[in-house]
Amino acid sequence: LCAVAEEAAREYILSRAPSKRIESLNISVEAEGTKPVNLTVDIDIALSPLMENFDVQKLVNEAVKQAFALAEKYLRELKCHSKK
C-alpha cells in the first residue's frame, strides 16, 4: 500500500515538473491500523531557482491527492479479491 501511494505521488510530480528542475524529492508514506487504515503522505520537494514562478504547494497537494486516490483503488481491489 505504501509503495503504491509513494509511486503515485512520485509519478504525478515527475509528470508536472521536469526532473532536471527538481533539486531534491523525498516522499514518505506511512500506513497505520487495519480497519480503518490511516495513511500519511509527506512530500518534501525543492525545485531549481529557475522554477521560481511554479506553484510548488499546489503540486504537492495534487500529488498527495493522487497518492490517496491510488491507495484507495488498491485497497478496493484487494477487498474484491478477498471475497472470491
Side-chain angles (χ1 to χ4, degrees):
L1 177 63
C2 292
V4 168
E6 180 184 349
E7 185 63 27
R10 186 174 307 280
E11 284 181 14
Y12 183 85
I13 289 170
L14 293 175
S15 74
R16 300 297 190 273
S19 59
K20 292 184 224 176
R21 301 284 190 245
I22 299 173
E23 292 186 352
S24 69
L25 174 60
N26 295 306
I27 301 172
S28 170
V29 180
E30 187 177 311
E32 193 175 308
T34 53
K35 288 187 181 181
V37 174
N38 293 316
L39 196 64
T40 304
V41 179
D42 289 320
I43 299 174
D44 180 32
I45 185 170
L47 297 180
S48 162
L50 297 173
M51 303 279 287
E52 65 182 286
N53 295 328
F54 198 82
D55 189 347
V56 179
Q57 190 58 51
K58 182 178 178 185
L59 176 68
V60 168
N61 291 343
E62 293 298 319
V64 169
K65 284 182 192 175
Q66 187 71 12
F68 279 117
L70 264 69
E72 183 176 352
K73 180 181 176 189
Y74 176 78
L75 288 174
R76 289 186 190 282
E77 288 174 1
L78 282 180
K79 185 178 177 183
C80 290
H81 291 302
S82 67
K83 288 184 178 180
K84 290 181 181 178

